Amino acid sequence: MKQTQRTEKKAEFLPSLLVMVAAILVLVGGILVLKLDPHIPLIMCTFVLVFYGLYLGISWSDMMSSAVKSISECIEAIIIMMSIGMVVGAWIAGGTVPFIIYWGLKIFSPQWLLPFTVVLCALMSTLIGSSWTTAGTIGVAFMGIGMGLGIPAPIVAGAVVCGSFFGDTQSPMSDGCNFATAISGAGLYNGVRGMIISNVPALLISIVAYVFIGMNYSHVSADSASGIAETLAGLEGAFNLTPAVLLPAALLIFLIVIKFPAVPTMIAAAFAGTLCAVLFQGEGLGAALGYMMKGYVGDTGVADVDKIVTRGGLSAMMSTVAIVILSMWMAGVLQRTGIMHAILAKIARIIRKPAGLVTTTTVMTYLFSYFAADPYLAMMLPSKAFAEAYDEMGYDRSVLCRSVSSAVFFAPMVPWGSGGLYVAATLGVAVLDYLPYYFVGFLAPIITILCAFTGWGMYKAKKAAPAESASN
């Protein structure tokens, strides 16, 4: 007796749209309405997609194969996430972060800390091409300085994220920038030129906004001054603040400059911090190694100091790692069902004007960043769907690159995405708390859309020179 093989159906626009809306409601409802951690809503959301895939005739094993592929592509990012948890714990125990906080409290005034935070994080992330490394090193130090100066943690976190993710979007050394320029077909330097049009104004406006916010903290009260003095005394009493504790930071910068691979770079920086804990802080080897696993817990007797230095550790990142794996499982199933392709293909056929094209590309990139929880998938799908439309209207691919590169800015805005999870775990501030102060993440896509309506930066594609006739 012959077995009948089930024919796989192609995902269509209306059912795909309904399923996507249902999945979004499950995800957002679980997190925002029921106040659940993202883990269970992500599993529920994935099974909404799985049931639709089964309806289309896609086997469970096919969907799982796509999910495994999606997760495997994220393994290095997961290891980096865990290793930065190790770095934070080791650098605090070794005195590196406390040293930076101590001198930051002495040097910076509350009024200028926030704009300096944006500028220095933007410079570092542009030079090294990594928002995660920037946020996990100097970002953690700026959090401590800001808390010591009495500036609310969500505002400082917003400044750190603004600067850190600017470089990740704009720097030619960044994976995000390279992927955006490649998938859009713009080419690296042409794509970078296109992104400058929106990214640099967004950063400058953010810096100005932080100057005005900083003015609210320009007057240090007697209580604040007393608190700062107490924090400085607490740091001095708990740590040996010799300049030698900056050696792990110097090693990190050196390895980044010579382009050493990311994972061994972070592991080396973590062990350098552990060595400092043994040599300069008088810690035993077992205790010093333990800080990489469990993080550092302050016990100075000064509440503000303990709050600043209690953080880090590989174990603190494991809940975040679980969410990343579940997000990538969902993204793999989503890609295999073809839901997003069906929606984008339909939209691409009805767009007729450049302003509508750029707006749709940017908005869809934003939506897919939230739903797929993966900036690379969020850049890839609109690029493939809308590339021909940009060509038909005669626009250079750098315009497409500018629109889809917003996915990198959107990454720390997604509570269940790897960017948002990493920032929240590393800086100790929830995504929804720092989101109102993450100005560049809102401004860059808005400026991109304004460019489309005004025509500014809407570069036309260069026409190939006609070949000369062989015979005259």
Side-chain angles (χ1 to χ4, degrees):
M1 186 176 176
K2 275 188 178 181
Q3 262 189 330
T4 56
Q5 189 173 3
R6 190 175 178 183
T7 307
E8 184 179 321
K9 302 174 189 175
K10 187 177 180 182
E12 296 180 354
F13 172 71
L14 188 56
S16 295
L17 183 62
L18 292 174
V19 169
M20 188 167 177
V21 169
I24 290 172
L25 289 175
V26 168
L27 186 60
V28 175
I31 295 171
L32 299 184
V33 179
L34 300 179
K35 307 293 183 186
L36 298 172
D37 288 333
H39 305 71
I40 302 305
L42 278 168
I43 293 172
M44 294 166 62
C45 178
T46 301
F47 271 94
V48 171
L49 302 174
V50 165
F51 290 138
Y52 183 57
L54 294 173
Y55 164 76
L56 293 174
I58 304 169
S59 68
W60 168 258
S61 61
D62 274 0
M63 286 185 277
M64 281 306 296
S65 294
S66 180
V68 168
K69 182 174 181 293
S70 177
I71 294 167
S72 68
E73 290 170 352
C74 202
I75 289 297
E76 185 176 17
I78 288 172
I79 296 173
I80 290 172
M81 187 180 294
M82 292 189 292
S83 64
I84 289 180
M86 294 166 59
V87 168
V88 173
W91 279 27
I92 293 174
T96 306
V97 171
F99 182 92
I100 297 170
I101 294 171
Y102 178 85
W103 284 102
L105 288 172
K106 279 183 165 288
I107 294 169
F108 288 110
S109 70
Q111 180 178 355
W112 296 106
L113 174 69
L114 296 172
F116 267 114
T117 298
V118 178
V119 171
L120 292 178
C121 287
L123 284 173
M124 181 170 175
S125 62
T126 301
L127 290 172
I128 69 175
S130 172
S131 56
W132 284 21
T133 303
T134 302
T137 52
I138 66 169
V140 171
F142 277 122
M143 288 298 299
I145 297 168
M147 290 165 68
L149 292 173
I151 302 174
I155 300 178
V156 184
V160 170
V161 179
C162 275
S164 300
F165 280 83
F166 169 82
D168 215 352
T169 308
Q170 188 64 59
S171 173
M173 297 181 67
S174 160
D175 290 343
C177 175
N178 277 276
F179 187 85
T181 57
I183 199 68
S184 64
L188 180 58
Y189 294 108
N190 188 40
V192 167
R193 179 193 67 152
M195 290 188 286
I196 283 174
I197 294 293
S198 57
N199 294 349
V200 171
L203 182 70
L204 294 175
I205 295 170
S206 299
I207 292 169
V208 172
Y210 275 113
V211 169
F212 282 103
I213 293 174
M215 289 179 181
N216 294 323
Y217 303 95
S218 59
H219 302 293
V220 180
S221 66
D223 289 342
S224 297
S226 173
I228 293 170
E230 187 179 17
T231 300
L232 290 171
L235 289 169
E236 280 183 304
F239 298 95
N240 176 12
L241 299 177
T242 169
V245 297
L246 291 178
L247 288 174
L251 176 65
L252 176 68
I253 293 168
F254 171 73
L255 292 176
I256 289 170
V257 168
I258 65 171
K259 294 182 169 40
F260 205 62
V263 172
T265 292
M266 301 313 298
I267 298 295
F271 276 96
T274 298
L275 186 62
C276 285
V278 174
L279 294 179
F280 305 120
Q281 309 304 332
E283 297 282 358
L285 181 60
L289 291 171
Y291 293 129
M292 288 197 290
M293 180 65 195
K294 296 181 179 178
Y296 188 85
V297 179
D299 187 21
T300 64
V302 181
D304 287 343
V305 174
D306 291 343
K307 185 178 179 182
I308 289 170
V309 299
T310 299
R311 61 183 68 229
L314 188 152
S315 59
M317 308 301 291
M318 296 314 296
S319 177
T320 301
V321 167
I323 297 173
V324 171
I325 292 171
L326 292 172
S327 295
M328 292 303 101
W329 176 28
M330 180 185 73
V333 173
L334 182 67
Q335 192 164 15
R336 180 62 184 86
T337 58
I339 288 174
M340 294 196 292
H341 177 75
I343 294 170
L344 288 173
K346 177 72 172 180
I347 293 171
R349 287 196 294 270
I350 61 177
I351 297 172
R352 294 288 179 265
K353 294 185 178 180
L357 177 61
V358 170
T359 301
T360 303
T361 307
T362 306
V363 170
M364 295 309 294
T365 300
Y366 177 83
L367 291 176
F368 289 146
S369 294
Y370 260 86
F371 189 60
D374 178 8
Y376 297 103
L377 189 59
M379 286 190 274
M380 180 182 71
L381 292 168
S383 291
K384 290 186 174 181
F386 298 131
E388 285 186 14
Y390 282 85
D391 294 341
E392 288 169 5
M393 293 186 189
Y395 287 102
D396 189 85
R397 288 292 184 90
S398 63
V399 180
L400 170 61
C401 179
R402 184 190 307 148
S403 298
V404 298
S405 67
S406 295
V408 182
F409 277 131
F410 295 147
M413 303 170 78
V414 184
W416 49 87
S418 57
L421 290 166
Y422 171 77
V423 170
T426 304
L427 302 184
V429 180
V431 173
L432 296 181
D433 289 339
Y434 69 70
L435 191 59
Y437 306 102
Y438 178 44
F439 304 125
V440 74
F442 296 101
L443 289 168
I446 290 171
I447 293 171
T448 294
I449 292 170
L450 288 175
C451 286
F453 280 93
T454 61
W456 183 53
M458 294 290 287
Y459 303 121
K460 287 287 188 177
K462 293 178 182 176
K463 293 182 181 177
E468 289 186 13
S469 177
S471 59
N472 293 320

